[in-house]
Amino acid sequence: MLKTYRIGEVAALLNLKTYVLRFWETEFPQLAPLRTGKGQRLYTEEHVRLARRIQELVHEQGLTLDGARRVLKQDARKPKEHGADMAAPRRDDMRALLAAFRQELLDMRALLRAERTR
């Protein structure tokens, strides 16, 4: 199952404000969270790792955003260790995410129907 986090959860994990993550999305194309039908951002573990890496480069190492982009490009060119891929989610991951959404919607529908019968 693909674990996802809402923007507030990621911000809390990284001790950042949500507007910083939204800004980074505009500056780093690879930080593009999944979106629900209502536009809610859902970050995967890979997105969280990428945001943590950006935070390290910008806030801890003092790089500019342009410098951080260059480092991330260099990182992308290096041979990847197994499990460290920061690419877009795989098709299987997306299917698992959609299945989880479907189940959540079905659960909500069942709760709403139960409320109506009371």
Side-chain angles (χ1 to χ4, degrees), residues 62-115:
L63 294 178
T64 63
L65 295 178
D66 196 40
R69 273 192 292 275
R70 281 194 292 262
V71 169
L72 291 174
K73 267 189 189 174
Q74 290 172 351
D75 288 353
R77 290 184 186 137
K78 293 179 186 175
K80 303 225 186 306
E81 295 177 21
H82 182 69
D85 187 7
M86 300 272 243
R90 294 186 325 247
R91 184 179 302 230
D92 291 341
D93 293 338
M94 293 299 291
R95 283 190 179 136
L97 179 64
L98 289 172
F101 281 145
R102 182 177 186 278
Q103 187 59 51
E104 189 172 335
L105 289 171
L106 290 171
D107 293 345
M108 284 191 282
R109 183 172 67 182
L111 286 172
L112 290 170
R113 285 183 175 165
E115 284 294 318

Side-chain angles (χ1 to χ4, degrees), residues 3-26:
K3 173 75 174 142
T4 59
Y5 304 88
R6 294 183 175 156
I7 191 168
E9 295 170 319
V10 176
L13 282 171
L14 301 178
N15 197 26
L16 294 169
K17 300 287 185 184
T18 55
Y19 68 83
V20 173
L21 289 169
R22 287 191 298 270
F23 175 69
W24 284 353
E25 289 173 23
T26 66

